[in-house]
Amino acid sequence: MQGKVIVVTGALGALGKIFADVALARGARIAGVDHAPSQVPATPERIEIGGVDLSDAAQATTAIEAAAKHFGRLDALINIAGGFAFETVGDGDTRAWQRMYALNVLTALNTSRAALPHLAASKTGRIVNIGALGALQASAGMGPYAASKAGVHRLTEALANEWKGKVTVNAVLPSTIDTAANRISMPNADFSKWVTPLELAEVILFLASDAASGVTGALIPVSGRV
């Protein structure tokens, strides 16, 4: 990843932080974008662009252009920004479906649209989206979340076909990720069977690398230890 310029959305979340740190350690330069305020000053290797609502196309474009201006180019976009809601269809609210669509689909759509011209110019442009293993078959209470992540899967496939030969577009489909928030919300689960952020980051890094030049349109399950 030496010298690669990578935009990471949701960069201040559990997975985003791990991915950015690993990529930096391997020589990449990182532009982190998040809804939360920026936490660190810009350096030649890393900038944080905070306070961005990526579900708004104009804000997403402004953030991507700021990253491209700072580094002079973009080589990869990692769409980690997103959200989760657990709500049954019968007892739920339409707003949950709208919120999941905005947080999971529109964020990836808007940043991808803005970044694609820069990624195509890179000649080794990569987009990696975060789907969900649970979106392949939704269980009770997972309707809004699974439907939105299924949208991410279809977005990935459509972009991969539209930009084939110019930019590769893939998605990783994690099972439950081992984060502090998930441990709190599911205290009785067997955490040893969850996928760790580092394991997931390694798969994302591969898909963002030159070695993955022949992979596009793939939806790759990452389920951890079973």
Side-chain angles (χ1 to χ4, degrees):
M1 302 308 294
Q2 189 66 41
K4 297 283 188 184
V5 177
I6 304 176
V7 176
V8 184
T9 72
L12 299 181
L15 175 58
K17 286 181 179 178
I18 292 292
F19 175 83
D21 287 345
V22 174
L24 280 166
R26 298 186 188 177
R29 293 180 286 171
I30 297 293
V33 183
D34 205 281
H35 190 265
S38 175
Q39 298 178 348
V40 297
T43 69
E45 293 77 31
R46 183 174 192 165
I47 60 168
E48 285 186 2
I49 305 168
V52 183
D53 178 2
L54 292 174
S55 68
D56 180 271
Q59 291 189 46
T61 299
T62 297
I64 292 295
E65 292 303 321
K69 182 178 180 180
H70 182 82
F71 290 114
R73 73 173 201 275
L74 301 179
D75 299 304
L77 168 65
I78 315 301
N79 282 313
I80 296 177
F84 176 78
F86 184 89
E87 186 174 276
T88 60
V89 176
D91 296 327
D93 191 294
T94 302
R95 288 174 295 182
W97 292 75
Q98 294 169 329
R99 179 170 175 268
M100 288 297 95
Y101 184 83
L103 289 177
N104 293 323
V105 181
L106 289 184
T107 56
L109 171 65
N110 291 336
T111 52
S112 295
R113 276 179 169 167
L116 277 164
H118 298 287
L119 298 174
S122 162
K123 307 301 182 185
T124 57
R126 308 278 186 264
I127 294 176
V128 183
N129 295 321
I130 308 299
L133 202 57
L136 298 180
Q137 184 173 6
S139 56
M142 295 289 284
Y145 176 76
S148 67
K149 286 298 189 179
V152 173
H153 300 175
R154 303 292 83 81
L155 171 64
T156 299
E157 293 166 338
L159 283 176
N161 279 288
E162 291 171 13
W163 288 79
K164 193 170 185 178
K166 299 177 182 178
V167 177
T168 69
V169 187
N170 297 288
V172 294
L173 281 55
S175 59
T176 305
I177 304 174
D178 190 0
T179 65
N182 282 338
R183 288 191 176 209
I184 290 171
S185 65
M186 294 174 275
N188 297 320
D190 183 352
F191 307 145
S192 69
K193 293 185 177 180
W194 291 356
V195 61
T196 68
L198 182 57
E199 288 171 329
L200 192 52
E202 292 287 357
V203 180
I204 296 170
L205 277 167
F206 167 72
L207 292 172
S209 73
D210 292 344
S213 60
V215 183
T216 194
L219 307 176
I220 301 176
V222 186
S223 59
R225 294 159 297 284
V226 294

